[in-house]
């Protein structure tokens, strides 16, 4: 059996020759070792554990096919919480962790110590709703998705993270309207990529399109939410959305047209890209 070092070197070269990022190889082995409580850096010159070797061989082909590593591993981390991911859900992005951070800081400003009802529309893996509830127990969290399969993943993630959330199946705000649910805070990372936009093959070929594409102008689901939001929002309310880096002007104008009395603000992500929209009605 080869050592970790040899295995990494061998496959790094293969990846390099195929024009793929060689760093993926070590990162993958590192994760597999972590699962078995093996410290890769201490054991570099030891023989590869047999179970790890089997998992490595199963996964490495998929990685060579450009499949995102989190799907191969079957999990991802979001705001420090482990989340199961599979082809039915988008892999949670670091930008979305920033959205959670923004919501938590705004909650501290406007609701500190008070309970508030919040909904996560299009929850996917459940990441946003779960992280918010784990970080702020005063929130009463609802989360919904149009995909039954995604909702199953979200429910599993909720249980695994010992969290408490009410899940609803349905398109955008419909399940809240049907169940007469009113909220103080609406959160959504809707599909916002333009149908015509070029998307990296590792995203396009593997991630669920229902979670990615937001119609010709990318704004279809914001429009849908803005239109029906008054039916589920309490008098004083806030809305938070993730958005595409090039949507600031169009999306702010759209928000202003639906909510002329509200404060509309766009925040940048850590890369300096316009990424989060906040609408506050008070
Ligand atoms: N940020 C994602 C991407 O670039 C898109 C997420 C979304 O449409 N909500 O792949």
């Amino acid at each position: 059996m080869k050592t970790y070092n040899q295995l990494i070197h061998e496959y790094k070269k293969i990846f390099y020759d195929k024009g793929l990022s060689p760093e993926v190889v070590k990162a993958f082995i590192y994760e597999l070792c972590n699962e078995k409580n093996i410290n890769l850096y201490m054991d570099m010159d030891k023989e590869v554990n047999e179970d790890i070797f089997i998992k490595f061989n199963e996964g490495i082909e998929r990685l060579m096919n450009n499949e995102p590593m989190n799907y191969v591993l079957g999990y991802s981390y979001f705001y420090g919480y482990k989340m199961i991911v599979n082809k039915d859900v988008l892999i949670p992005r670091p930008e979305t962790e920033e959205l959670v951070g923004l919501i938590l800081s705004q909650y501290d400003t406007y609701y500190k110590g008070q309970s508030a009802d919040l909904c996560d529309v299009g929850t996917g893996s459940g990441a946003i709703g779960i992280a918010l509830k784990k970080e702020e127990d005063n929130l009463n969290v609802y989360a919904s998705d149009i995909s039954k399969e995604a909702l199953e993943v979200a429910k599993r993630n909720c249980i695994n993270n010992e969290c408490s959330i009410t899940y609803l199946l349905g398109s955008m705000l419909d399940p809240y309207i049907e169940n007469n649910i009113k909220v103080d805070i609406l959160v959504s990372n809707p599909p916002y990529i333009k149908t015509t936009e070029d998307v990296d093959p590792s995203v396009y070929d593997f991630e669920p399109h229902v979670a990615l594409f937001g119609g010709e102008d990318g704004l279809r689901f914001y429009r849908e939410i803005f239109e029906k939001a008054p039916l589920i929002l309490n008098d004083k309310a806030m809305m938070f959305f993730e958005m595409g880096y090039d949507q600031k002007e169009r999306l702010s104008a759209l928000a202003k047209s639906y909510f002329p009395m509200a404060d509309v603000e766009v925040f940048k992500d850590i890369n300096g890209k316009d990424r989060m929209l906040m609408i506050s009605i008070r």
Side-chain angles (χ1 to χ4, degrees):
M1 180 67 85
K2 299 174 188 99
T3 66
Y4 289 102
N5 215 345
Q6 288 166 336
L7 188 64
I8 289 168
H9 269 88
E10 181 185 329
Y11 275 90
K12 268 181 125 171
K13 176 149 175 17
I14 295 172
F15 270 58
Y16 183 83
D17 290 345
K18 282 180 176 283
L20 300 164
S21 163
E23 296 318 311
V24 168
V25 177
K26 192 164 158 195
F28 183 47
I29 294 182
Y30 177 81
E31 281 295 337
L32 296 179
C33 285
N34 259 353
E35 281 177 41
K36 288 210 147 287
N37 281 324
I38 292 171
N39 183 329
L40 176 64
Y41 292 96
M42 302 283 279
D43 288 1
M44 247 341 164
D45 294 317
K46 291 201 181 136
E47 287 194 349
V48 178
N49 167 296
E50 212 167 309
D51 290 350
I52 291 187
F53 192 65
I54 291 168
K55 281 199 164 178
F56 175 82
N57 281 319
E58 283 167 6
I60 202 76
E61 292 285 329
R62 293 170 63 185
L63 292 174
M64 274 191 236
N65 264 331
N66 237 333
E67 185 166 348
M69 183 162 19
N70 295 106
Y71 285 145
V72 177
L73 291 168
Y75 60 83
S76 164
Y77 286 92
F78 183 81
Y79 223 82
Y81 300 102
K82 192 170 182 176
M83 302 284 167
I84 295 166
V85 294
N86 64 23
K87 60 173 179 33
D88 297 318
V89 301
L90 212 65
I91 297 165
R93 308 285 204 265
E95 291 87 342
T96 312
E97 295 182 328
E98 293 190 59
L99 179 68
V100 166
L102 172 70
I103 296 164
L104 290 170
S105 74
Q106 296 294 327
Y107 167 85
D108 275 346
T109 307
Y110 291 99
Y111 296 93
K112 187 71 197 160
Q114 299 167 38
S115 63
D117 295 312
L118 177 148
C119 68
D120 173 12
V121 180
T123 195
S125 66
I128 297 178
I130 292 169
L132 286 169
K133 176 68 184 172
K134 292 299 286 183
E135 295 295 314
E136 186 44 75
D137 200 37
N138 282 320
L139 290 171
N140 172 36
V141 177
Y142 299 92
S144 59
D145 208 285
I146 193 171
S147 154
K148 202 162 81 264
E149 292 78 16
L151 218 53
E152 287 308 314
V153 175
K155 286 178 185 171
R156 277 166 70 196
N157 282 326
C158 182
I159 292 168
N160 291 349
N161 284 290
E162 298 177 341
C163 195
S164 159
I165 288 178
T166 306
Y167 285 101
L168 306 155
L169 178 68
S171 172
M172 294 289 127
L173 305 193
D174 294 350
Y176 304 94
I177 297 167
E178 282 157 19
N179 289 289
N180 223 340
I181 293 168
K182 299 266 190 268
V183 298
D184 304 296
I185 305 172
L186 183 159
V187 183
S188 184
N189 173 15
Y192 57 67
I193 300 176
K194 290 192 216 79
T195 15
T196 50
E197 199 166 312
D198 271 341
V199 179
D200 193 286
S202 70
V203 173
Y204 191 87
D205 295 344
F206 296 99
E207 302 209 74
H209 289 190
V210 64
L212 290 171
F213 295 104
E216 249 165 62
D217 66 355
L219 302 183
R220 175 180 160 194
F221 294 104
Y222 300 96
R223 231 176 255 116
E224 240 180 89
I225 293 176
F226 292 168
E227 191 162 327
K228 293 183 181 169
L231 297 172
I232 73 157
L233 293 180
N234 286 326
D235 291 346
K236 286 183 183 169
M238 304 184 88
M239 287 184 273
F240 297 90
F241 299 91
E242 184 169 312
M243 57 187 262
Y245 68 94
D246 58 352
Q247 295 173 332
K248 179 176 176 175
E249 276 74 29
R250 287 179 303 132
L251 189 54
S252 305
L254 191 67
K256 274 276 167 207
S257 76
Y258 278 93
F259 308 100
M261 306 302 281
D263 281 336
V264 175
E265 204 174 334
V266 170
F267 295 83
K268 290 187 191 301
D269 66 19
I270 200 169
N271 297 311
K273 298 198 164 145
D274 293 316
R275 185 64 64 197
M276 294 158 271
L277 173 75
M278 176 172 98
I279 305 172
S280 51
I281 307 165
R282 17 202 81 246

